[in-house]
Amino acid sequence: MAGLEKTKNVSPCLNKNGFTLLESILSLVVTIIIFSLVPFLWQTEKRIIEATNITHSSEWHIFLKQLRQEIGNSELAIRTENKFCTLSEKEVCFEFYKDVVRKQVDGKGHEPLLTNISKFSFSIHQTSLLINAETTSNKKFSTHIYIERE
């Protein structure tokens, strides 16, 4: 028995120097799946950006509609650089406060009309009210509202 040497039982499936064929195929499949998801992620990001812009546009148009209704048959008065009011039966004020443009009636209440606003300015030019707004995402809005003067 001294002549018998111990031999190692080496399996042909074990390769300690590299990847097996199965491991290589599996890693390729995972890589292909990850790369196939990239266009979907870009498309999703684009949809999110478009939805955000639609939200800001909707707020802006609703704000303009409400403002035009308030200005209709009333007198316009500027209080401060961040606030202007319309005077008729009630005093309705529009004010830029923190990151919101809000509406107050007779100095009471707080109705946010535009949100996530970083800059807001207004000025009166002869027969129109010029309003400029910029959102926190750098989307800019501007309009002229005609004012009837007697």
Side-chain angles (χ1 to χ4, degrees):
M1 290 206 190
L4 292 176
E5 294 180 17
K6 222 176 190 187
T7 59
K8 291 184 181 179
N9 188 5
V10 178
S11 173
C13 294
L14 294 176
N15 184 355
K16 296 186 180 189
N17 295 329
F19 291 109
T20 63
L21 180 62
L22 183 60
E23 291 171 329
S24 298
I25 291 173
L26 184 62
S27 65
L28 282 173
V29 167
V30 169
T31 304
I32 289 170
I33 289 172
I34 289 172
F35 281 119
S36 68
L37 292 176
V38 169
F40 173 73
L41 294 175
W42 282 338
Q43 184 180 22
T44 304
E45 179 187 19
K46 186 177 178 181
R47 285 183 182 170
I48 290 171
I49 290 170
E50 288 173 1
T52 303
N53 289 339
I54 288 171
T55 301
H56 289 305
S57 293
S58 298
E59 275 187 352
W60 177 251
H61 291 294
I62 291 169
F63 167 71
L64 290 179
K65 182 176 181 182
Q66 288 182 345
L67 183 60
R68 284 186 180 110
Q69 286 176 346
E70 293 296 335
I71 290 177
N73 293 325
S74 55
E75 183 182 328
L76 195 63
I78 293 180
R79 299 289 185 206
T80 65
E81 64 182 37
N82 291 333
K83 183 176 185 178
F84 67 93
C85 300
T86 61
L87 303 170
S88 59
E89 295 174 12
K90 295 181 179 181
E91 179 185 57
V92 178
C93 295
F94 298 88
E95 179 181 24
F96 177 53
Y97 179 74
K98 295 187 180 179
D99 66 341
V100 174
V101 175
R102 66 183 183 177
K103 174 183 168 183
Q104 293 180 313
V105 178
D106 287 333
K108 297 176 184 172
H110 172 90
E111 180 183 348
L113 299 176
L114 295 174
T115 57
N116 298 321
I117 301 295
S118 62
K119 295 178 187 175
F120 183 78
S121 65
F122 58 89
S123 57
I124 296 177
H125 296 285
Q126 295 177 353
T127 59
S128 66
L129 174 66
L130 173 63
I131 300 174
N132 294 309
E134 185 175 338
T135 65
T136 53
S137 61
N138 297 325
K139 178 123 172 103
K140 295 180 182 180
F141 297 99
S142 180
T143 192
H144 286 274
I145 298 177
Y146 177 73
I147 302 171
E148 291 184 26
R149 295 205 174 198
E150 297 175 6

